[in-house]
Amino acid sequence: ANAKSTAHGHEFQGALLGWLERRAQEAGDVFEDTANTTGAIPHSKVGDAVIELGPEHRAAGARIAVEAKEDASYRLVGARAEIETARKNRRAEVGLFVVSARTAPEGWERFRAIGPDLFVVWDADDPATDVFLEAALALARALCTRARQRDHPQIDFDAFDRSIRSVEKQLEGLEEIQRSAQTVESGAEKIKERARIMSTNLLRAIATLDECCEAARREIGTPTA
């Protein structure tokens, strides 16, 4: 079971890093898979990947540390500690901690921003959840800009906070709609299955009725039409 779980974990990590690498290339950023390399902390490999913002970005050179987890034992406290270590180990301004939907603990929010870190639940097999990663990357880049420009008097940092909360609110609404849609789809499937069963039972009842009519006809000797 452990070997199978580990294999799933590697598959999830590979899928996530592949997705992030494609997005980084499209945005002109630099992606680096760092899962097997040590960082600034001696002997530490914490931080599965790093996204460095490209030269066209306002915060060019800023770094986003990524940590991927498909492990049901993780809780938010542990996740926060690990992504903080990942940021330090990869000399990054922002952390992105992505949890697999297969193992996300009960009550784990689909998307959450805490300080310089973003926590996301993603399903590698469900493209509908890609929007949470897209939002996380957008916010991560914004947080990089904020971190690099924190001493700039002309930047409205309250606007950054409002924008982050707005994104969170929209994602919460999206998640609610997706859950409702799943409930509707589930209900529709149940209705279809119930209709199929009733149809089958109706045909059986009709067949039985025909047999009864035929038996009655034979008993009373009524000729067939």
Side-chain angles (χ1 to χ4, degrees), residues 181-194:
Q182 289 171 355
T183 300
V184 170
E185 289 174 0
S186 176
E189 288 303 317
K190 289 179 180 178
I191 291 171
K192 288 179 182 178
E193 178 62 14
R194 182 63 179 163

Side-chain angles (χ1 to χ4, degrees), residues 206-223:
I206 291 172
T208 300
L209 179 60
D210 286 342
E211 290 173 2
C212 289
C213 289
E214 179 62 19
R217 185 194 64 76
R218 288 196 301 268
E219 285 293 325
I220 62 176
T222 303

